[in-house]
Amino acid sequence: MRKNFHVLVKPASSLCNMNCKYCFYDDVSNKRKIKSYGIMSQDTSHKVIDRALQACPEGEITFSFQGGEPTLATLDFFLDFTEYAQQAKTEKVKYMYSIQTNGLLIDKAWCRLFKKHDFLVGVSLDGLKEAHDTLRKDYFQKDTFNRVMNGINLLKKYEVPFNILTVATKYNVRHPQKLWNIYEKNGFDYIQLIPCLSSLDNTNCNQPYALEPKAYADFLKTFFDIWLQKYLQGKYVSIRVFDNLVKMCAGYPPEQCGMTGFCQAQFVTEADGSVYPCDFYVLDDFNGGNVHEQDFDSILNSDNFKKFLKDNSSYNLICNNCEVKDYCNGGCRRYRYFYFQTNDYCPQKDFLTHALPALKKIAASLR
């Protein structure tokens, strides 16, 4: 019997009030027969909850909301979702909620909801105002940085826990110290850094924002050195990838997907109730079923889920003899094209070779 179960819910499908130039989900949804499934109905949202409780009748259930932009489903959707979830649960079940948002719609009412139900809020912010406003404009092509910062300030005011998700692009990796200074100035102590994804067919690699492997490694090394200096001075800032590497150096498995070397089912549930194994691959070929007809165990055992989870064809044989393989495991399947697009060079290896000696010392000191 499961003691933990995680469902990633897309209540507004691929709908969004921004038009980010590098959006991976826009690329994914454009490759489906149906780009957007609209706003999730009450019937479907309740069925998601019922199926999650069926899969995990006692333990911890996490509902993570993503998009598109999940707040487009409206506050009423989330009020109903959390109310029904509370009514349906037993004393043996604990809920955890999280949401990844672009932050444009955050207001006092949203903050009250997040606070009441202990949401962890991830806010997408590319750090540097000029980089953010170049790549993350709204649908009217207007800048969004200041509006996102207004939303973040409201989260602070209402004491809602949040982290910042920054996409590393050609623009902001040139300025690691400036990026750190912005985080520090604003009291951002929980950060996720993710490299900008290429499109599924790798056709956008020549875009002005496209990240280059060597530039990414150089950024990570410099950013790590800044982080390490602050850590040694007694200032701890949670950088998710660094946190996970410390855990791995201490002999524990990472919590971050993509660092284990194999794919795990994420149960990504689209607005119509259809379920997919990974947020990066919400494609027709990997549709495992629908919560209206199947439970999550049946979906996990579907042919499409099995096909996805067993596919390791993107694994690169050069990883076999890599001295830092145990701390990378070949990387996330979706990023492997990026990692290995330069012959005889891997940005992960470059960074890890630089950072592991210090990370191992930190891990040893925490035992």
Side-chain angles (χ1 to χ4, degrees), residues 68-99:
E69 173 49 42
T71 59
L72 289 179
T74 75
L75 186 66
D76 285 343
F77 170 89
F78 285 86
L79 290 170
D80 177 79
F81 190 101
T82 51
E83 180 181 351
Y84 180 80
Q86 191 63 30
Q87 291 172 356
K89 74 183 289 293
T90 67
E91 292 183 356
K92 295 181 178 180
V93 173
K94 178 183 178 181
Y95 292 135
M96 300 290 288
Y97 292 107
S98 67
I99 185 170

Side-chain angles (χ1 to χ4, degrees), residues 30-47:
N30 275 322
K31 292 176 172 60
R32 302 190 304 224
K33 290 180 180 178
I34 298 175
K35 176 177 173 59
S36 173
Y37 294 96
I39 303 298
M40 182 176 284
S41 69
Q42 183 186 77
D43 185 39
T44 300
S45 69
H46 290 186
K47 183 62 73 172

Side-chain angles (χ1 to χ4, degrees), residues 103-174:
L104 288 188
L105 296 181
I106 293 176
D107 59 13
K108 294 177 181 178
W110 279 107
C111 289
R112 285 192 288 267
L113 170 82
F114 296 151
K115 184 67 176 177
K116 178 180 179 181
H117 294 285
D118 296 319
F119 269 70
L120 172 62
V121 180
V123 183
S124 297
L125 184 83
D126 282 358
L128 309 182
K129 184 178 187 301
E130 57 271 27
H132 182 101
D133 281 340
T134 297
L135 297 174
R136 300 184 62 83
K137 293 186 182 296
D138 68 14
Y139 248 92
F140 301 99
Q141 293 303 301
K142 294 186 180 299
D143 295 346
T144 61
F145 182 88
N146 290 339
R147 284 181 280 168
V148 176
M149 288 298 296
N150 288 339
I152 291 172
N153 288 331
L154 276 174
L155 294 173
K156 290 180 178 180
K157 179 179 178 180
Y158 281 81
E159 299 181 334
V160 175
F162 69 93
N163 60 47
I164 299 297
L165 187 148
T166 294
V167 178
T169 63
K170 184 180 289 186
Y171 292 104
N172 52 18
V173 299
R174 297 169 179 164

